[in-house]
C-alpha cells in the first residue's frame, strides 16, 4: 500500500458552531462559512444558469457572520421580511420558500415569536457535516500480461461457444458493433473507478490540485474554459463523489461526479469568483453536463 498525492474527504458529524469561518473548516450543508465578508456575491451572481432560480449551498473546502445573510442559502441577504424585520433573504423566491416551510408560524409584527430561531438552521438547507481529509493509500492491482489477457479472452470465447451465444461479427450490423465498442469502453472506465475507490468507499471528495480526476465514464469535457480574469489555463483541483448524495436527504439531486477546475495561477481577485465545474452522470453518460 502506497500513499498517493490525492487527499480524500469523509463526512463527520460536528457541532454547528465549529463549522463557522472562525475555525476555517471544510464542510457540507448548512450555510457557507464566508472567509471574506466585504465582497460577498450579489444575489444575481448566484442564480442557476438554466432556470434562473437562486442556487443552494452544497459544500466548501477549508472554511457567525456580521453581514446580513439569507436564512435559506447563507448568501448575501439584502431583503428583509417586511413583517417581522428579523429575517434576511437573497430573493423573493427564497422568502416565499421559507414562509411555506416554517417562517409563517413564527413571524409577527413584534418580531420572531419565542419558538422561532432567526439565526437557526433552515429545514431547506442540506444536513451539515464537517469534511475531514486524509491522504489516500492505494495499491494498484498487477496488470495481466498480453499473453494472460489473450488466454482469458479465449477462455471466455470458448464458454460462449459452448452456451451457443457466440456468433460471428458479420452477423451484427455496424451500428450494433459501434454500440458494443462504446459499452466496452464505458465498462472499463467504470470498473477502474470502482476499483480505485473500493479501499475507501465512504469518500465524498478527492483533492489533487494539478492532478487528474477519477472519471467514471469516457464522457469527459473536451475543452476546459480559460480563466476569465487572467486568460490563463484552469487545472483540476477537486471532485465531489456520488457518496455525498447519501447524506443530503434529497431525492431530486443526482450526479456521478462533480469535477472542479480552477485557475492555475490562482490570480488575485477581490471577493469571490466563479470557476468551472463539469458534471459527469452515472447511468446515462450522454447527459453529462457542464
Amino acid at each position: 500500500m502506497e500513499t498517493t498525492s490525492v487527499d480524500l474527504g469523509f463526512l463527520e458529524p460536528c457541532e454547528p458552531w465549529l463549522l463557522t469561518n472562525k475555525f476555517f473548516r471544510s464542510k457540507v450543508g448548512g450555510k457557507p462559512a464566508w472567509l471574506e465578508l466585504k465582497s460577498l456575491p450579489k444575489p444575481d451572481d448566484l442564480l442557476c444558469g438554466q432556470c434562473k432560480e437562486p442556487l443552494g449551498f452544497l459544500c466548501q473546502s477549508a472554511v457567525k457572520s456580521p453581514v446580513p445573510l439569507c436564512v435559506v442559502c447563507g448568501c448575501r441577504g439584502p431583503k428583509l421580511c417586511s413583517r417581522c424585520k428579523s429575517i434576511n433573504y437573497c430573493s423573493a423566491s427564497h422568502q416565499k420558500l421559507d414562509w411555506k416551510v416554517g417562517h409563517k408560524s413564527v413571524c409577527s409584527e413584534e418580531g420572531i415569536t419565542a419558538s422561532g430561531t432567526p439565526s437557526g438552521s433552515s429545514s431547506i438547507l442540506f444536513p451539515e457535516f464537517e469534511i475531514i481529509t486524509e491522504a489516500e493509500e492505494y495499491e494498484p492491482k498487477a496488470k495481466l500480461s498480453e499473453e494472460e489477457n489473450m488466454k482469458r479472452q479465449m477462455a471466455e470465447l470458448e464458454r460462449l461457444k459452448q452456451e451457443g451465444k457466440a456468433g460471428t461479427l458479420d452477423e451484427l450490423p455496424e451500428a450494433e458493433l459501434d454500440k458494443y465498442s462504446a459499452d466496452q469502453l464505458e465498462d472499463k472506465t467504470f470498473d477502474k473507478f470502482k476499483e480505485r475507490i473500493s479501499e475507501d468507499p465512504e469518500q465524498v471528495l478527492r483533492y489533487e490540485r494539478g492532478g487528474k480526476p477519477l472519471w467514471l465514464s469516457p464522457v469527459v469535457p473536451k475543452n476546459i474554459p480559460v480563466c476569465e480574469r487572467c486568460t490563463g489555463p484552469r487545472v483540476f483541483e477537486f471532485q465531489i463523489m456520488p457518496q455525498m448524495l447519501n447524506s443530503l436527504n434529497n431525492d431530486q439531486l443526482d450526479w456521478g461526479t462533480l469535477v472542479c477546475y480552477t485557475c492555475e495561477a490562482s490570480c488575485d481577485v477581490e471577493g469571490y469568483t466563479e470557476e468551472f465545474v463539469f458534471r459527469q452522470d452515472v447511468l446515462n453518460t450522454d447527459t453529462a453536463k457542464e
Side-chain angles (χ1 to χ4, degrees), residues 16 31 64 71 86-87 112 116-122 125:
K31 302 174 186 176
K64 214 150 191 181
V71 72
S86 300
I87 300 295
I112 298 293
T117 54
S119 61
S121 61
S122 167
L125 303 177

Side-chain angles (χ1 to χ4, degrees), residues 23-83:
F23 298 97
F24 199 68
R25 293 188 173 178
S26 300
K27 57 171 288 191
V28 168
K31 302 174 186 176
W34 301 105
L35 300 181
E36 197 278 317
L37 298 173
K38 294 181 180 179
S39 304
L40 292 181
K42 299 176 182 178
D44 288 346
D45 297 331
L46 298 171
L47 299 179
C48 173
Q50 295 189 35
C51 68
K52 305 304 178 183
E53 287 295 313
L55 299 171
F57 171 71
L58 178 61
C59 67
Q60 67 187 90
S61 180
V63 279
K64 214 150 191 181
S65 170
V67 175
L69 302 179
C70 175
V71 72
V72 175
C73 65
C75 300
R76 184 181 289 276
K79 300 180 183 296
L80 197 65
C81 175
S82 60
R83 188 181 186 193

Side-chain angles (χ1 to χ4, degrees), residues 43 54 68-104 106-107 112 118 122 124:
L69 302 179
C70 175
V71 72
V72 175
C73 65
C75 300
R76 184 181 289 276
K79 300 180 183 296
L80 197 65
C81 175
S82 60
R83 188 181 186 193
C84 68
K85 305 293 194 297
S86 300
I87 300 295
N88 290 81
Y89 300 98
C90 67
S91 62
S93 60
H94 271 191
Q95 182 176 7
K96 292 176 181 177
L97 189 60
D98 191 41
W99 183 262
K100 292 179 180 178
V101 300
H103 184 57
K104 179 180 180 180
V106 298
C107 181
I112 298 293
S122 167
I124 304 167

Side-chain angles (χ1 to χ4, degrees), residues 201-233:
E202 300 301 317
Q203 60 185 273
V204 299
L205 182 142
R206 296 177 64 86
Y207 186 95
E208 186 186 20
R209 180 166 169 79
K212 295 181 179 180
L214 180 60
W215 299 112
L216 49 74
S217 97
V219 180
V220 300
K222 296 179 180 179
N223 296 297
I224 305 301
V226 299
C227 174
E228 290 86 355
R229 301 170 298 281
C230 69
T231 68

